[in-house]
Amino acid sequence: MLNKTLKIKNICMSNDLPIVLIAGPCQIESLNHSRKIAETLSELGQKLNFELIFKGSFDKANRTSIKSKRGVGIEEGLTILDKIKSEFNCPVLTDVHEPEQCNQASEVADVIQIPAFLCRQTNLLIAAGKTGKALNVKKGQFLAPNDMKYIAEKISSVGNDNIMLCERGTSFGYNNLVSDFRSIPIMAETGYPIVFDATHSVQLPGNNNGSSGGQRKYIPALASAACAVGIAAVFIETHEEPDNAPSDGANMIPLSEMELVMSKVKTIDNLIKS
């Protein structure tokens, strides 16, 4: 099947076009914090010649423990994303967890993200699809990659073909994930742009006394491997002090290391797509 091209504001995404970076903090913490990260990533994109979609979550509803920090909430989160979008002239992405959140999120977000645990929730997919926005659907850790075509069919059934399919690892026993890079060409057979989530692919779900751990040192290797296979975008969460982040710190790349990671990603992507 021919690669489909997805247009998000001024960005064109396809598996055979230059790679796009989807990046930002796990949780939206404040406007100043988001602004600092967006500014660094935006300048890096200009330096290394890649397009940026800024991501941030207003609510982390799928935490392991009830004690985990969840975020600033939908009202404040969308207000912050709207300001980032305006100031840096970049599309913004956020995730939703309930059908009722979709319309409100779509007033600001250029991309609505469906979390991996919720990728088969038909009502959520339909509600998100009806917004007409681009959707980034993460493949469930429990799902075979060839089954993602049925997820896409649910969304396209309401007339929305603005779909990205995202690989983020597969459950491998307890508290562990493994990235099977066959999943990228398998999902790419749908024609939709494929995203590789390098952050959550190194997650160790629920192995840290009520929260998830991770192995951030493997993010560069996995991101590079995915680029070598051929993807439309790479998803990387980043923070200036990951070990002090309210969630997923063990899986996030320090902001100061993003240039090194993206330099390698761009080099491989340029070679593969030349």
Side-chain angles (χ1 to χ4, degrees):
M1 179 176 290
L2 293 175
N3 287 319
K4 300 177 182 179
T5 299
L6 174 58
K7 195 171 190 329
I8 304 171
K9 292 191 73 174
N10 61 333
I11 298 176
C12 290
M13 296 181 63
S14 175
N15 297 321
D16 54 7
L17 290 177
I19 197 165
V20 174
L21 173 64
I22 302 173
C26 178
Q27 285 188 30
I28 298 171
E29 297 177 34
S30 68
L31 174 58
N32 285 338
H33 183 255
S34 293
R35 183 183 282 133
K36 176 180 179 180
I37 294 177
E39 182 177 26
T40 300
L41 295 175
S42 180
E43 291 175 353
L44 188 58
Q46 294 175 29
K47 181 177 180 179
L48 299 179
N49 192 30
F50 63 78
E51 299 287 356
L52 169 69
I53 297 175
F54 183 84
K55 68 82 51 185
S57 299
F58 57 78
D59 181 20
K60 306 302 294 185
N62 57 353
R63 301 294 89 185
T64 301
S65 170
I66 191 65
K67 298 177 182 179
S68 298
K69 294 181 180 180
R70 289 183 52 171
V72 298
I74 192 168
E75 299 288 348
E76 184 178 353
L78 292 177
T79 298
I80 290 171
L81 285 174
D82 195 33
K83 291 180 179 178
I84 295 297
K85 177 179 179 176
S86 176
E87 288 182 27
F88 297 96
N89 192 32
C90 66
V92 294
L93 173 153
T94 197
D95 37 353
V96 295
H97 297 86
E98 302 169 6
E100 294 75 21
Q101 295 176 334
C102 293
N103 283 335
Q104 188 174 357
S106 72
E107 293 175 3
V108 172
D110 301 285
V111 184
I112 293 176
Q113 182 165 276
I114 306 297
F117 286 124
L118 302 178
C119 72
R120 296 208 312 183
Q121 299 302 306
T122 303
N123 289 347
L124 180 60
L125 293 169
I126 295 299
K130 285 182 176 179
T131 66
K133 295 289 183 166
L135 304 187
N136 183 35
V137 188
K138 293 196 175 183
K139 179 181 72 64
Q141 303 92 321
F142 47 84
L143 203 62
N146 57 298
D147 286 334
M148 284 297 283
K149 62 179 177 285
Y150 303 115
I151 307 301
E153 285 175 2
K154 290 182 182 182
I155 299 166
S156 63
S157 73
V158 294
N160 188 342
D161 211 34
N162 302 317
I163 301 167
M164 294 178 274
L165 303 179
C166 182
E167 168 60 39
R168 54 126 323 147
T170 301
S171 293
F172 189 70
Y174 298 126
N175 306 124
N176 198 14
L177 298 172
V178 65
S179 292
D180 178 0
F181 290 101
R182 293 176 300 176
S183 68
I184 292 173
I186 290 171
M187 290 194 294
E189 289 175 3
T190 63
Y192 293 113
I194 304 302
V195 181
F196 181 73
D197 180 350
T199 289
H200 294 95
S201 291
V202 301
Q203 190 179 57
L204 301 175
N207 85 324
N208 191 30
N209 296 319
S211 63
S212 292
Q215 299 171 310
R216 75 168 71 99
K217 65 181 180 180
Y218 297 124
I219 290 175
L222 293 185
S224 297
C227 289
V229 177
I231 53 177
V234 62
F235 178 108
I236 302 176
E237 289 182 342
T238 184
H239 194 282
E240 75 283 359
E241 294 183 271
D243 291 333
N244 293 320
S247 61
D248 274 353
N251 313 316
M252 284 197 279
I253 287 285
L255 191 58
S256 61
E257 297 178 15
M258 283 296 292
E259 181 170 356
L260 181 62
V261 174
M262 286 307 297
S263 293
K264 182 178 288 188
V265 162
K266 277 293 296 180
T267 298
I268 297 171
D269 187 67
N270 289 341
L271 178 63
I272 292 297
K273 295 174 182 174
S274 62

